[in-house]
Amino acid sequence: MSLTAEFGSQAIANTHVQQWVEKMAAITQPSRIFWCDGSEAERDHLYTVAVEQGVLVRLDHEKLPGCYYHRSNSNDVARVEQCTFICTEQEEDAGPTNNWSEPKAMRAKLLAIATGSMAGRTMYVIPYLMGPPGSTLAKVGYELTDSIYVVLNMRIMTRMGEVARRELGDSPDFNRGLHCLLDVDASRRFICHFPQDNEIISVGSGYGGNVLLGKKCLALRIGSWLGRKEGWLAEHMLIMGVESPTGERTYVAAAFPSACGKTNFAMLIPPAHFAGWKIWTVGDDIAWMRPGPDGRLWAINPESGYFGVAPGTNGKTNPNAISSISRDTIFTNVALKPDGTVWWEGHDDPPPAECLDWQGRPWTPASKEKAAHPNSRFTAPMTNNPALAPEALSAEGVPISAIIFGGRRATTLPLVYQAFNWVHGVYLGATMGSETTAAAAGAVGQVRRDPMAMLPFCGYNMGRYFRHWLDIRRNLENPPQVYQVNWFRKSADGRFLWPGFGENMRVLKWIVDRCQGRAGARETPLGWVPRTCDFDLDGMPNFSAADLEQAQSINIEEWRRELLLQDELFMRLYRHLPKEMIFQRELLVSRL
Ligand code: SAT
Ligand code: MN
């Protein structure tokens, strides 16, 4: 027997895991069960198998060491919110912003779909840990999947293998996740969460957010449910450390909807003007936060990799991402060049004379369609990031001084303002709106309410979620300050008013200086805003104080419309909407 045949053949898990795996295998009927240990030898073996099966293409390892390429089915390139369900006994527990289904009926339907679906295939058993080992917030999950692509992505995005098995010990307390690829038929695609059983079943998709069950499914939908039960917050937020020239570090968490620049912001490199300032990345997508014994809010990044949007990523917009994806990275749905490297719109290299597009079709610069899908992604280990904060690996995490809420809004929302207090800050998060992006299937560019950037990810009733945010304050003697930002405001002639990217450091510096009690502000109906003298515009020859004023302007007509849009959400949530949100709305109306 060859050595490779032995990989994964040894069942090493506690009896609770083993019993559940046996039960699921009896349903899905795989020809083989592969127990992942997370070792490097196992990784090499799995890549070899994935290439043999045609699931992955090995890229040129001289130019891109350890990198591979994958195309998903063209009907399966983004999260599908209409196929995503929260299955609770009571519909009210899922709330009006989620698709709901009664758990028994849904489980029966899914298990019927799963029956025999792994026949002739391998079922991989993936133990994984969300969060640094030893963290009081860390959670163990097991994902069973017949997709080798999922295994190799989970290996990057989570702490996979032995470490998770050890962390679980003999406990029955782990998330049970089942993923069946099927024939990726969109009519049999369901991503279902059973929070009362800490269980996830995902069928019929092979795309990231639908199938890397540790990410949106466990870390956000189930996580938010657990957070409410256990007194912590699971949020769609990046976490960064901002180091000043004196070495002082201020930690900030920021919520932006999918594909609105969280990864770029988390890896920001300050412009030359900010000598001595440095940004450290703790996380780029998800924050788990709990009040610490010192009355501050402490955050960990439960993930260990980046599942970032490829198009637009280049040495100017995000040099740290470029370093992060230089090796050991999986590229999904980008374009494949004849020299065994990859390309996308907004790449540093000019468009290749010829390549294969994300659907495998010949592409040239004359082609009308894009070479890379707008939601094409890279999966890269966070340890590749030159700006990785050492605290990203520490069990206690980092204390958060500021929370930033940001949407993608062409109008109405100013560049930056600060909430008057925590309750007002929760109101800012709760009323966030943003234009839709390619990260979810459906129309792009329409403004929708996306409270705390959690609309697709909150695993329970959104009204109760706002209540939970308000209640957390009781355990926070020193709550973070709360800010709203909008990098995407446009002028009447459709030009972005703010240059964004590295220049966002200027906004961040004002925020950090406010946290440290050394920056001024002016009171407006919306909140505290920087006066021109509080805002560093040096070294921006093409930007003036007048531009800043325009980016910060408050248009009463636009705000009337905004309040009506907010009302739509509040009406939907009315039953469980905390009164404080209504009072905040009234206060805003009277200030305006
Ligand atoms: O859902 S994914 O994790 O694939 C990406 C996103 O929408 O944030
Ligand atoms: Mn995200």
PDB file of all heavy atoms in Angstrom, residues 216 236 258 262 285, ligand 2:
ATOM      1  N   LYS A 216     -19.170  32.790   7.584  1.00  0.00           N
ATOM      2  CA  LYS A 216     -20.416  33.508   7.841  1.00  0.00           C
ATOM      3  C   LYS A 216     -21.386  32.663   8.668  1.00  0.00           C
ATOM      4  O   LYS A 216     -22.110  33.178   9.512  1.00  0.00           O
ATOM      5  CB  LYS A 216     -21.078  33.919   6.517  1.00  0.00           C
ATOM      6  CG  LYS A 216     -20.192  34.773   5.624  1.00  0.00           C
ATOM      7  CD  LYS A 216     -19.705  36.012   6.308  1.00  0.00           C
ATOM      8  CE  LYS A 216     -19.193  37.028   5.367  1.00  0.00           C
ATOM      9  NZ  LYS A 216     -18.082  37.791   5.385  1.00  0.00           N
ATOM     10  N   HIS A 236     -19.611  41.626  11.957  1.00  0.00           N
ATOM     11  CA  HIS A 236     -19.002  41.649  10.620  1.00  0.00           C
ATOM     12  C   HIS A 236     -18.032  42.829  10.573  1.00  0.00           C
ATOM     13  O   HIS A 236     -18.300  43.834   9.918  1.00  0.00           O
ATOM     14  CB  HIS A 236     -20.126  41.800   9.587  1.00  0.00           C
ATOM     15  CG  HIS A 236     -19.721  41.510   8.178  1.00  0.00           C
ATOM     16  ND1 HIS A 236     -20.385  42.017   7.089  1.00  0.00           N
ATOM     17  CD2 HIS A 236     -18.713  40.753   7.670  1.00  0.00           C
ATOM     18  CE1 HIS A 236     -19.820  41.592   5.978  1.00  0.00           C
ATOM     19  NE2 HIS A 236     -18.799  40.825   6.306  1.00  0.00           N
ATOM     20  N   SER A 258     -20.178  43.537   2.835  1.00  0.00           N
ATOM     21  CA  SER A 258     -19.273  42.759   1.984  1.00  0.00           C
ATOM     22  C   SER A 258     -18.856  43.582   0.768  1.00  0.00           C
ATOM     23  O   SER A 258     -19.672  44.300   0.186  1.00  0.00           O
ATOM     24  CB  SER A 258     -19.975  41.491   1.505  1.00  0.00           C
ATOM     25  OG  SER A 258     -20.361  40.707   2.608  1.00  0.00           O
ATOM     26  N   LYS A 262     -13.270  46.343   3.510  1.00  0.00           N
ATOM     27  CA  LYS A 262     -12.767  46.004   4.851  1.00  0.00           C
ATOM     28  C   LYS A 262     -11.321  45.532   4.784  1.00  0.00           C
ATOM     29  O   LYS A 262     -10.483  45.928   5.591  1.00  0.00           O
ATOM     30  CB  LYS A 262     -13.619  44.911   5.505  1.00  0.00           C
ATOM     31  CG  LYS A 262     -14.900  45.419   6.126  1.00  0.00           C
ATOM     32  CD  LYS A 262     -15.530  44.411   7.088  1.00  0.00           C
ATOM     33  CE  LYS A 262     -15.916  43.106   6.428  1.00  0.00           C
ATOM     34  NZ  LYS A 262     -16.946  43.258   5.385  1.00  0.00           N
ATOM     35  N   ASP A 285     -12.477  40.693   8.601  1.00  0.00           N
ATOM     36  CA  ASP A 285     -13.873  40.408   8.258  1.00  0.00           C
ATOM     37  C   ASP A 285     -14.775  40.184   9.476  1.00  0.00           C
ATOM     38  O   ASP A 285     -15.928  40.577   9.451  1.00  0.00           O
ATOM     39  CB  ASP A 285     -13.941  39.175   7.343  1.00  0.00           C
ATOM     40  CG  ASP A 285     -15.285  38.999   6.657  1.00  0.00           C
ATOM     41  OD1 ASP A 285     -15.871  40.015   6.229  1.00  0.00           O
ATOM     42  OD2 ASP A 285     -15.753  37.851   6.562  1.00  0.00           O
TER      43      ASP A 285
HETATM   44 MN    MN B   2     -17.561  39.647   4.900  1.00  0.00          MN
END
